[in-house]
Amino acid sequence: MSMPVISMPCNPISMCQAVTNLIESIALEETALSHILNAEGEKLQKVIAMECISVQELLEVNDSVMNMVTAVSTLECCLKDKLEFIANNLYYPSRDGNCC
């Protein structure tokens, strides 16, 4: 797998656009994590609905779901930290209320 290439824009972006891009990327990650959690919930529902499943198999699926929820929770903390960093360090609104 090759490394991604980040191209430089012809014109530098404004602070306002940079903040907007960062917040949008956090929102997209949040959306992806919500889809993962939804899929885990559906997986658990399907397993519970199965008629021929042992308690051991049910516990294994539950552990799998719990591990994924824990991983998502960890990522949520990272996203929270990113958002706090933006709020505390990058966003300096002008006195007239515009961010640009």
Side-chain angles (χ1 to χ4, degrees):
M1 186 184 319
S2 63
M3 293 295 294
V5 176
I6 300 173
S7 61
M8 296 300 293
C10 296
N11 299 322
I13 62 172
S14 67
M15 175 69 102
C16 184
Q17 185 61 49
V19 171
T20 301
N21 290 350
L22 288 167
I23 292 172
E24 184 178 3
S25 73
I26 291 170
L28 290 171
E29 288 181 69
E30 290 283 353
T31 301
L33 293 177
S34 73
H35 286 283
I36 291 170
L37 289 176
N38 186 53
E40 290 298 309
E42 289 178 6
K43 177 172 69 174
L44 196 54
Q45 287 177 348
K46 285 185 180 185
V47 169
I48 291 170
M50 294 172 68
E51 294 179 14
C52 303
I53 187 165
S54 70
V55 173
Q56 181 63 35
E57 291 170 324
L58 185 58
L59 289 173
E60 288 173 2
V61 171
N62 188 61
D63 283 343
S64 170
V65 170
M66 188 174 65
N67 289 337
M68 183 60 71
V69 169
T70 301
V72 167
S73 177
T74 302
L75 291 171
E76 287 283 349
C77 288
C78 292
L79 292 176
K80 178 181 158 278
D81 290 344
K82 285 181 184 181
L83 193 56
E84 285 178 357
F85 178 82
I86 293 167
N88 294 332
N89 298 301
L90 295 179
Y91 182 62
Y92 300 102
S94 62
R95 293 194 182 263
D96 62 3
N98 295 327
C99 72
C100 303

